[in-house]
Amino acid sequence: FVGTNYYLDQLAKSNLSVPVLGVEIIEPEGPQMTTGTAIRPDGLYWAITKTREYTSLPQYVTEVGVCLPDYVNTSGGVEDPGRVSYLSSCLMAIQKSVIEGCDVRGIYVWSLLDNLEWNQGFGHRFGLFYVDYRTQERIPKTSAKWYSKVIEEFHSRFAT
């Protein structure tokens, strides 16, 4: 199989004055993650369909996620509608690619829990569950509840 980790969609244009690569990165417009990277789930469709041009191996989306400014609200919950929207758009991109003949067999959301990101420390949260780093309490975010329902519905419709 071929695994695809997808987080961002970057545009580039030729610029021979840029050392080594000779290209200039152009940040897409639109909403951004807390890392300052534009949120572009539509690029996942392109990545999947482009990969199919090079191989007929089955594909798995081995990582897909978005970091947003999550916090515990006054009722003790963590609402992250931006993550729900992002993941929903990613699932629609995968569905569109499958309808067009791509053999995508699975998706793995990054990450189950907020965690230490190797190059960003604890400053960015990708998890479906909020982790209070001081107490280690785990709180399911809105996205965890939503994704659980998506999986349950998919399983009830397609399980053999």
Side-chain angles (χ1 to χ4, degrees), residues 133-146:
Y133 296 127
R134 188 178 51 77
T135 66
Q136 294 301 300
E137 178 184 9
R138 278 102 164 127
I139 302 169
K141 299 176 187 178
T142 305
S143 58
K145 297 169 187 172
W146 169 83

Side-chain angles (χ1 to χ4, degrees), residues 70-113:
D70 300 329
Y71 60 91
V72 179
N73 62 29
T74 55
S75 62
V78 179
E79 297 177 22
D80 59 343
R83 186 170 289 105
V84 171
S85 176
Y86 177 82
L87 293 174
S88 178
S89 295
C90 287
L91 290 172
M92 287 188 284
I94 293 168
Q95 180 182 28
K96 181 179 177 186
S97 69
V98 168
I99 289 169
E100 293 179 11
C102 293
D103 184 7
V104 181
R105 298 190 184 179
I107 176 175
Y108 300 89
V109 174
W110 184 260
S111 166
L112 178 65
L113 303 171

Side-chain angles (χ1 to χ4, degrees), residues 18-29:
V18 175
V20 184
L21 296 178
V23 296
E24 177 182 346
I25 302 297
I26 304 166
E27 287 296 327
E29 296 176 5

Side-chain angles (χ1 to χ4, degrees), residues 27-86:
E27 287 296 327
E29 296 176 5
Q32 296 190 349
M33 297 185 205
T34 56
T35 58
T37 306
I39 298 173
R40 296 289 304 264
D42 51 315
L44 179 57
Y45 165 79
W46 180 88
I48 291 168
T49 55
K50 196 70 174 166
T51 300
R52 183 183 62 178
E53 292 178 18
Y54 296 98
T55 182
S56 61
L57 289 171
Q59 295 186 54
Y60 288 84
V61 178
T62 47
E63 279 188 28
V64 63
V66 62
C67 61
L68 298 169
D70 300 329
Y71 60 91
V72 179
N73 62 29
T74 55
S75 62
V78 179
E79 297 177 22
D80 59 343
R83 186 170 289 105
V84 171
S85 176
Y86 177 82

